[in-house]
Amino acid sequence: MQKHLIVFTLLLFSVSFTFAQTSTEQEIKKLSMDKWQWMADKDVAKLEVLFDDKAKFVHMSGSWKKDRELEIIESGSIWYKKAEVHDTAVEISGNTAIVWNRITLTAFVRGNDVVTEFTVTEVYQKQGEDWKMLALTFSSVRDTHEIEH
């Protein structure tokens, strides 16, 4: 009887752990999708809270920190009009989450609409009750690029 109780407890623990992983992954995926919408809406108030003060952003034209990214979004010098997400992978390690999104980005840049395929890498860290973005990197890829899960 005690053997069955131990097996049942271990099974319950593993199911709970799996659900927690899935729940956290879903939370991060939603946060990532929300971020794309906030960028499209130029909602710098929400992005300011999401981006860690030491966050770094890597684009095709350069790299900069949080204040510059928010300025770019607010001014519309890069307007992330629409990110069509084709595939997403999330990995959680402790209080760190890494998201890979394969997207087609429609952006208004230097007076023109530009459509570009990217794999975007996002790094988040759990700080207290909130997730903060530490890094966002755009990597230009072919539309046939696949994210290995």
Side-chain angles (χ1 to χ4, degrees):
M1 180 69 170
Q2 189 173 14
K3 196 179 211 180
H4 292 288
L5 183 59
I6 291 170
V7 170
F8 178 73
T9 302
L10 289 173
L11 181 62
L12 186 61
F13 177 75
S14 70
V15 168
S16 296
F17 180 76
T18 301
F19 177 75
Q21 274 300 97
T22 303
S23 175
T24 302
E25 287 176 9
Q26 291 303 316
E27 178 184 5
I28 292 296
K29 281 182 184 181
K30 181 181 181 330
L31 184 59
S32 177
M33 292 302 292
D34 288 346
K35 178 238 338 118
W36 290 120
Q37 189 59 55
W38 298 338
M39 292 171 88
D41 294 342
K42 301 180 189 175
D43 193 338
V44 294
K46 289 180 181 171
L47 294 168
E48 201 278 329
V49 173
L50 175 64
F51 299 161
D52 185 82
D53 288 340
K54 295 180 181 179
K56 304 276 190 257
F57 300 84
V58 179
H59 293 262
M60 291 172 61
S61 60
S63 300
W64 42 81
K65 296 180 183 177
K66 175 182 178 174
D67 290 343
R68 177 77 178 120
E69 182 73 8
L70 292 172
E71 175 188 312
I72 286 168
I73 292 167
E74 187 171 41
S75 71
S77 60
I78 299 175
W79 177 18
Y80 303 93
K81 293 173 82 172
K82 182 181 180 199
E84 183 181 346
V85 179
H86 305 289
D87 192 15
T88 302
V90 177
E91 288 191 19
I92 309 290
S93 180
N95 66 345
T96 303
I98 303 173
V99 179
W100 294 272
N101 283 315
R102 191 176 63 78
I103 68 169
T104 301
L105 179 65
T106 303
F108 188 75
V109 182
R110 296 184 188 104
N112 297 300
D113 275 345
V114 180
V115 179
T116 311
E117 302 290 327
F118 290 108
T119 291
V120 180
T121 305
E122 305 168 33
V123 180
Y124 295 89
Q125 182 182 63
K126 186 81 172 201
Q127 298 177 4
E129 295 298 312
D130 300 319
W131 287 96
K132 294 288 191 172
M133 178 183 280
L134 301 178
L136 183 139
T137 300
F138 288 88
S139 301
S140 183
V141 295
R142 295 187 181 111
D143 63 357
T144 57
H145 180 258
E146 292 183 22
I147 297 172
E148 186 174 316
H149 291 267

